[in-house]
Each structure stands twice: as structure tokens, then as C-alpha cells.
Amino acid sequence: MPIRFDPKHGLIVYLTVGDPSLDATRAIALAAIDAGAAVIELGVPFSDPLADGPVIQRAMERAVARGVRLADVLQMAREIRAERPAAGLVIFSYLNPILRYGLKRFADDAAAAGVDGVLATDMIVEEAGEYLAELARAGLAPIFLAAPTSPDDRLEAIATHSKGFVYAISRTGITGTQQTLTSNAAALVARIRRWTGPQGQGLPVAVGFGISNAEHVAQVAEFADAAVVGSAIVELIERATSQNGAETAPAAVARFIKGLRLPQAALAR
Amino acid sequence: MVRDFQRIISIEMKQQILEKEGRLPSAVIACVGGGSNAIGAFYEFIQDRQVRLIGVEAGGRGTELGEHAARFKGGAPGVLQGTFSYVLQDADGQIALTHSVSAGLDYASIGPEHAALHDSGRAEYVSQDDAAALGAVVKLARTEGILPALESAHAVAEALRLAPTLPAREILVVNLSGRGDKDMGILARELKL
């Protein structure tokens, strides 16, 4: 399974597939991988993205309006996998499109496309019996979200049922950028590690929601194995597309990602 | 939790109908959007198998997806906002737009306890369209001096349809879940008042 993070440099990039177009998403994903993203989260467009802030909502609306479906996302995974065998690929979806596609069919098709893991935002671990069984049968890693408000018994269930990595939400609320990271994130990761093992060993823990610059990424690297950058990149794609055309988005994203991974010393202002 | 609070409706219904009539009603009729007033109106009667429980969904202005909010007629099992129930959706699992003249019934999913009552057959779910609901508002206002909410008017419309098919001694209880004062703007527009 290619979900592996470099020590201190783990970076996960979220993309809403099909925004601004399927061709653009493919090119952006390849550029992001080449710029150093260890894992690409391929976001399935959904009409009611209740965990997402305005930036990703807008991207979802555009992609839904273009008619991008779960089947297109799986096809995109297959194409990216063919080009970049070592990259981590995660399907990031709300549950309903997966249920409608059929859980078993989804697991089979995702595995055949070369997907490594699945993160279904609104699949809670307590209700996940059949879901976990199908993913396990297909050899896919289930990734669950852990929140600062999750009690210990839920964190234990989330940590023990997740494979690939655990996704720790840096704060309560919806996705979107923020100025400063809260201390909640470090505290949450420390709690999760009671079940996943110490940093660098055991199951990796990634931190997402609100991570938008190199300073945040460097802060996260102090206590977590990877940082997830979503809204900041989706917004960058939106801006590049509207100002300079979709064909400029891959290079813009690559530049941004290289900037995120600058060594900490270079951040001194 | 919603059901536990709303069940006061059926507790009082039962008390009052037994006081007044000395027997249980033949049917309890309530409109169903998310389903809170209906589950409250049904709950204490679920054990009384002889009482029909009838939920009335919004038939809107047509049968195409996007034209109505009749989840049991046009929906399929799915997850919306963390709840597994019947959901109006397209073939790819995108949640459908809905339409009803009443905002309170205009929702793509339905409380999951209604899905269970539907699947077990204990409750029946029907729909009444915008025109029938508007007609029921006028009828109830003119005959009883009661201005029902457009949501509740769907239940009144079903009672108006059902009553003539039943023997005169049968009792129908209709849950008037809200007042129509809030709907005056819509009523004025729709009825050209």
C-alpha cells in the first residue's frame, strides 16, 4: 500500500474532482504528486457537502453541475495510478454516492482502479460494520475522522479501525482556511497516539481543516505525521482558473506545494 | 429526542378523544416533512393496531424529481445529514431539489422512524399536492373559521379525500400542526386574494 509519509514532510492534498474539469484535475493531481504530495485525496462531488466550508462547497457545486460522478472519480484514480504507481490515492466522499453506487461494487471498482484508501466523511465508526467488511475484502484502507470533541472510547474505535492513517480534525466546524492553528490539534493527536503508537511508528496521524501555509505545515510536522491541505489549494485552483485559465492551475499548485514544504529555517521573516 | 418531546401530541390526543368519544379514532392523519409532528401524533397509537396512522407528504406540483417532496413515492434509501432513511436523489446519489407550496414539507429526506413504520407497514404514507392543500386551507377557513398552516393543510386534504369513503361513525383525528397566519403572503399570491 503506497500510503507512506516522509518524516517531517508528510503532505496530503485534497482536490475536488472535476473542478474546473476532469482534465484539469488529472493534471493538477500529477503536478501535486511531483511537487511532493504523498497522498492525493480525490474528492467526490456531492450536492450537500455538510462538512465543507464555502470554498469546497463552490467547487462541489461546479463539479456537480458539470455532471461529475463517482464513476468519473474512480476512472481518474485509475489514470493517476497508471502514471504514478507510488502515490497514495484516497477516495474522499460523502457516504450517499457510495451507497447509491453500491458498497460492494464501489469496493471492487476502487480496488481495481488502484485506490489505497477511502475516507467517507459521514460514515461513523459505530455504524461501519458492513462498510469495513467490504473495504477489508477489497484490500482498501478505511480512514476515519477524529474530532477534538470525540471522547476516548470513540478515538479508540477510530484509531483501531483506521488503516493508512487517522485523520485528526484540527478544530470543530467546517473546512476552510484560518490564520492560526489551535492548540487543540496537538492535544488531539497526542490522545490518538495512545492507540496508534508514537510518532514515526505505528499508524500515521494526519491533521487537516484550516491548514493553508508553510508555517501551519511546519507546526503540524512537530506533532503529526502529515498535514492535509484542501481549501487553500481548491481556492488557488479557482483563482488561477478564473484569472489565467485552467491550464495554469497545475503549475500554480506545484509552486504552492513546494512553498509549503520549505524547511522551517526558510520561514524566518 | 424529537419524538420524545413531540409525543405529547398523541398523549393529549388519546386522552381527549377517550374523554369525548369513549373510543379510539379510526385514523390519525398528519403531514410529514421531516416528520416531527407526525411521529408525535402517531407515537402513542402505534400499539393500538386498529388505529390507522396516515402520513401525508407533499405532492408538490408534479411527479418528476424536483417537483415534489414525496420521499416514499420517489425516493430511495440513502444518507443525508447523517441519517439513513428514504432520500429523494438521482441515480448518482446527488440529493434532489424538492418543491412544495409549504416550506415545512420541502425536505429531501424523512425522519428515520417513519421509514421504519413505512417498511413495517404500521403506518401508511400518501401525498397531497399543492392545489389540494390550498383547497383545504380555504375549506377549513370557510367551514370552521380555522386557518391551518399550509403544511397541516396537506393532512386536512387527505381527511377530505378519505372521509367520504368511510362510514359516518368513524372518527378521524387530523393533527393541525401549525397556524396559517405565517402563510398569508403565499396564500395571497397562490389564491390571488
Side-chain angles (χ1 to χ4, degrees):
Chain A
M1 173 186 315
I3 296 182
R4 272 188 307 268
F5 301 109
D6 299 340
K8 297 281 177 189
H9 278 303
L11 192 65
I12 300 171
V13 167
Y14 166 89
L15 300 172
T16 299
V17 174
D19 177 56
S21 69
L22 290 171
D23 285 345
T25 301
R26 188 185 314 103
I28 292 164
L30 296 176
I33 292 163
D34 295 343
V39 172
I40 302 291
E41 292 179 344
L42 294 169
V44 179
F46 184 51
S47 54
D48 292 59
L50 54 85
D52 286 299
V55 169
I56 293 177
Q57 278 181 34
R58 287 199 299 270
M60 291 262 193
E61 276 172 24
R62 289 188 292 260
V64 168
R66 298 180 69 89
V68 178
R69 304 160 306 150
L70 178 54
D72 299 313
V73 178
L74 294 174
Q75 176 59 26
M76 171 128 317
R78 181 188 304 274
E79 292 165 12
I80 296 169
R81 170 57 71 228
E83 303 246 359
R84 299 291 184 278
L89 293 180
V90 170
I91 299 292
F92 188 105
S93 184
Y94 288 85
L95 190 55
N96 202 54
I98 294 176
L99 291 181
R100 189 70 179 186
Y101 193 87
L103 200 48
K104 183 177 173 359
R105 178 177 162 227
F106 167 74
D108 287 340
D109 291 357
V115 166
D116 302 302
V118 180
L119 198 167
T121 42
D122 47 354
M123 177 80 256
I124 53 172
V125 69
E126 290 85 349
E127 301 281 344
E130 195 186 344
Y131 171 84
L132 285 169
E134 287 298 335
L135 294 195
R137 185 186 54 75
L140 295 164
I143 297 152
F144 288 98
L145 299 171
T149 46
S150 304
D152 282 351
D153 56 340
R154 290 209 75 224
L155 286 187
E156 180 177 9
I158 287 165
T160 50
H161 288 294
S162 290
K163 295 189 169 53
F165 60 93
V166 177
Y167 188 131
I169 300 174
S170 70
R171 53 167 164 76
T172 53
I174 52 178
T175 60
T177 59
Q178 61 193 0
Q179 289 304 308
T180 52
L181 278 185
T182 64
S183 56
N184 286 348
L188 173 59
V189 172
R191 288 173 63 215
I192 294 169
R193 290 209 198 277
R194 285 162 57 188
W195 296 282
T196 59
Q199 185 168 7
Q201 304 167 35
L203 188 66
V205 181
V207 173
F209 278 40
I211 295 174
S212 59
N213 59 40
E215 206 174 334
H216 293 161
V217 170
Q219 278 174 35
V220 166
E222 294 297 313
F223 58 87
D225 302 286
V228 188
V229 184
S231 294
I233 285 177
V234 173
E235 192 164 32
L236 176 64
I237 294 167
E238 183 180 60
R239 206 167 49 238
T241 301
S242 69
Q243 290 175 0
N244 306 308
E247 66 282 2
T248 66
V253 168
R255 264 196 312 279
F256 182 74
I257 290 173
K258 284 177 186 153
L260 289 177
R261 301 179 79 234
L262 287 177
Q264 247 176 314
L267 291 174
R269 283 178 270 190
Chain B
M1 191 170 78
V2 170
R3 182 253 284 153
D4 283 352
F5 282 115
Q6 295 281 345
R7 69 192 282 195
I8 189 67
I9 301 169
S10 50
I11 291 172
E12 291 188 2
M13 264 183 191
K14 204 172 196 175
Q15 240 170 31
Q16 291 170 14
I17 201 77
L18 288 175
E19 242 171 62
K20 214 164 167 57
E21 301 289 338
R23 60 194 166 100
L24 291 173
S26 303
V28 175
I29 306 174
C31 64
V32 194
S36 59
N37 94 81
I39 200 67
F42 291 172
Y43 194 68
E44 291 296 317
F45 294 104
I46 291 174
Q47 60 192 348
D48 304 313
R49 311 290 301 187
Q50 73 274 31
V51 180
R52 287 171 67 185
L53 305 175
I54 303 173
V56 188
E57 298 187 285
R61 61 185 169 215
T63 53
E64 294 287 306
L65 203 58
E67 299 275 286
H68 63 84
R71 288 65 46 100
F72 289 121
K73 217 177 262 175
V79 171
L80 175 62
Q81 295 165 351
T83 301
F84 183 68
S85 186
Y86 284 79
V87 178
L88 287 168
Q89 55 184 311
D90 70 12
D92 300 316
Q94 306 294 355
I95 308 305
L97 294 176
T98 54
H99 165 81
S100 169
V101 70
S102 62
L105 302 188
D106 205 350
Y107 182 53
S109 186
I110 186 165
E113 200 160 343
H114 287 294
L117 289 172
H118 171 269
D119 285 2
S120 73
R122 177 63 191 93
E124 309 154 48
Y125 294 85
V126 298
S127 63
Q128 288 288 341
D129 64 15
D130 288 353
L134 288 162
V137 171
V138 173
K139 186 134 193 171
L140 198 64
R142 292 208 171 131
T143 54
E144 302 282 342
I146 295 170
L147 182 63
L150 272 166
E151 290 80 4
S152 321
H154 287 72
V156 176
E158 175 59 17
L160 290 172
R161 187 201 63 79
L162 183 62
T165 70
L166 301 173
R169 75 177 296 276
E170 301 223 6
I171 303 168
L172 300 181
V173 173
V174 178
N175 190 32
L176 283 183
S177 52
R179 303 162 53 105
D181 309 51
K182 69 174 180 63
D183 294 323
M184 285 314 293
I186 299 169
L187 290 171
R189 189 185 71 219
E190 296 290 331
L191 299 171
K192 304 189 170 51
L193 299 175

